[in-house]
Amino acid sequence: MTDFYTSASSQAHLNLAITIASRVLKTTLTGWRGRLITIFWIVLVALATWSGATACKAEWQAYDAGEAAVIVAFSDWRAAYGSDPWRPVDLAAEHPIVRHLPPAPGRALAAGVSDAVGTWAAPANYHQRELEGRKGELTPLGILFGTLDLAGLVGVAGALLTIALGFDGISAEKERGTLALHFANPLGRGTFLLGKLLGVFAVVCCTLWLPLLLGVTVLGATGNIAASWDGLTRAVLFMLIGLAYLMFWTTASIAVSAMARSSAASVVALASLWLVVALAAPKVIAAEAASRHPVTASALLEEKIPALRAQSLVNYRKKVTAYKNGHLGATPKGVDAARLRLAYYDEFFARIDHVTAIDKTIRVAREHSLQTLAALSPTLVYQLATAELAGTDGARHRAFIDAVDAYARELRRWPEQRLITGIDTRPTWNELPPFNPGNAYAKTDLNRAFRHIGILLVLCALAMLAAWLAFLRYDLRLQGA
């Protein structure tokens, strides 16, 4: 028997595959397994939607409260140091002023998988120290149990339920002895395999993907996904990546079912594959990326700051001494003093940048390495992609930290620049330079998003190829024929 029934047209093969898929869809959806999984999944999606919306609302409340507290703190400083017009600004530049990161456009979709997805930070000694952040493990369980959201739900329960729907797609036919009966008719192996795949995938779409789409729609309608073109783009890409991820587990289930001799063997093999691909591989990949690009601990970097400050102060004192020598021993004041202090700050900042530049480069290289190695684990590809779409990835957090650092430096320089222009009145809160998060709100990178989808589709194709090769080796002749 040839692999494809050559006397039939391509349309006839497709019609046969659709007929097989329709039977699989009808049988599964009307059976107890399909109904139970659908109900269970709808409940989980409802809980994840509620949890994501609640978390997003809580972050907005924290952001609003934090901004209000900063204004109050500045007013208190201004009142406490009435005799020194610059002391409140100095304090604001050093430590107590805290800048919060507003929720990302799609925050309710995913919590993120970075090892440092922070929510707020504060400047300390001209170097950024993260005060608080969400620490998410690079595993589906770490994400799901850290914060229940739609991305974590799909990464864990979605994969397992897809396995539950497709683990016996072909192996059950072998056990019942009906597989060979199918091929007593003019049916090609490829047509049968395609029909089974389409059928299980249609079941997955109806039982898992459609409720997920409803959950995302609810989040959008309730304002928990930014009401903008970029917010809509994030939501659509989130659904497409989720669909590609579920498709991978569909093809993997069909492939293993085609290889296994029984349904029991199929479910054990798929569970083992899930443990390796979804749980073990992300941890190993993260550890490998970290070992390839080790970064300096923040505590060690901060230990260097006093020495850098001392070196800058030495040069500052030399310039002050030179000024006195040129002005009959007079101490620099007003504009002259402001210019000397600006020179000191610029030198100090340059020294810090020199020390941290290498570390920043290493962090970027680590992120690139993680993205590259993620292709070994479709679950990690999915989680990295959804974290980026939700705006909770590590790159966004680093951009926010850099923005806070730049703001602290601007606050430090601003009083001196103001004095140079002839303004020496006490500044009010409204006169302070505005804080700009910068690239922390970068728009969706469509190229990277589609690259993630492409990786998942390639993995789907490899799984389908494995199913086809396994099916070619199976003896389809009727017993006794």
Side-chain angles (χ1 to χ4, degrees), residues 84-91 341 414-415 418-419 423-425 427:
D84 187 345
W86 307 123
R87 185 56 177 161
V89 180
D90 291 342
L91 286 172
R341 284 195 292 268
W414 179 70
R418 198 164 179 262
L419 188 60
I423 304 175
D424 59 356
T425 58

Side-chain angles (χ1 to χ4, degrees), residues 56-404:
C56 190
K57 180 180 179 181
E59 286 194 12
W60 273 114
Q61 291 174 341
Y63 171 72
D64 293 337
E67 291 297 287
V70 167
I71 297 175
V72 172
F74 183 82
S75 300
D76 292 341
W77 297 333
R78 191 171 184 270
Y81 295 93
S83 60
D84 187 345
W86 307 123
R87 185 56 177 161
V89 180
D90 291 342
L91 286 172
E94 287 178 358
H95 179 62
I97 189 169
V98 176
R99 307 308 311 201
H100 285 64
L101 180 63
R107 165 66 184 90
L109 297 175
V113 295
S114 172
D115 59 352
V117 184
T119 54
W120 57 296
N125 296 326
Y126 305 101
H127 180 70
Q128 295 315 303
R129 177 188 297 126
E130 183 185 353
L131 296 184
E132 183 176 302
R134 295 184 304 275
K135 300 299 184 182
E137 291 187 15
L138 284 172
T139 64
L141 290 179
I143 298 163
L144 182 62
F145 295 143
T147 301
L148 180 63
D149 55 63
L150 292 179
L153 185 66
V154 174
V156 180
L160 290 176
L161 293 181
T162 300
I163 290 174
L165 290 170
F167 76 93
D168 60 349
I170 297 177
S171 58
E173 300 269 13
K174 298 177 183 178
E175 291 179 315
R176 293 193 298 265
T178 57
L179 186 59
L181 290 174
H182 288 297
F183 291 92
N185 301 305
L187 177 66
R189 294 174 189 250
T191 303
F192 178 78
L193 202 59
L194 178 61
K196 284 289 186 179
L197 175 63
L198 291 177
V200 175
F201 188 58
V203 172
V204 170
C205 288
C206 292
T207 60
L208 303 181
W209 192 75
L210 288 180
L212 181 66
L213 176 61
L214 180 60
V216 173
T217 303
V218 169
L219 288 175
T222 54
N224 288 288
I225 301 177
S228 63
W229 179 253
D230 185 58
L232 178 62
T233 301
R234 292 172 188 268
V236 171
L237 289 174
F238 176 82
M239 293 305 304
L240 291 178
I241 289 176
L243 189 63
Y245 178 70
L246 294 177
M247 185 176 181
F248 165 78
W249 286 107
T250 301
T251 54
S253 298
I254 293 298
V256 173
S257 182
M259 299 176 190
R261 294 186 176 274
S262 66
S263 297
S266 177
V267 73
V268 170
L270 284 167
S272 301
L273 178 66
W274 182 84
L275 288 172
V276 172
V277 170
L279 293 185
K283 297 289 280 187
V284 173
I285 291 172
E288 176 63 22
S291 65
R292 289 187 179 185
H293 309 284
V295 297
T296 307
S298 297
L300 295 178
L301 289 175
E302 290 199 16
E303 286 180 0
K304 298 180 180 180
I305 291 178
L308 298 177
R309 181 185 292 106
Q311 294 171 7
S312 301
L313 282 173
V314 169
N315 291 334
Y316 171 73
R317 293 186 181 114
K318 289 180 179 179
K319 292 179 181 178
V320 171
T321 301
Y323 178 89
K324 290 181 178 180
N325 292 336
H327 293 77
L328 303 176
T331 302
K333 296 180 180 180
V335 174
D336 293 333
R339 286 173 176 166
L340 287 173
R341 284 195 292 268
L342 279 179
Y344 160 71
Y345 295 146
D346 290 341
E347 181 181 349
F348 182 41
F349 296 152
R351 290 181 184 276
I352 288 182
D353 289 339
H354 179 73
V355 171
T356 59
I358 298 177
D359 189 66
K360 290 182 178 180
T361 302
I362 293 175
R363 290 182 183 276
V364 173
R366 176 189 286 191
E367 182 72 19
H368 178 74
S369 179
L370 183 63
Q371 293 283 351
T372 302
L373 295 173
L376 300 175
S377 170
T379 300
L380 184 55
V381 172
Y382 168 74
Q383 294 292 0
L384 290 174
T386 53
E388 185 175 338
L389 291 176
T392 57
D393 57 305
R396 178 176 184 261
H397 173 66
R398 288 194 301 274
F400 172 66
I401 294 295
D402 290 340
V404 176

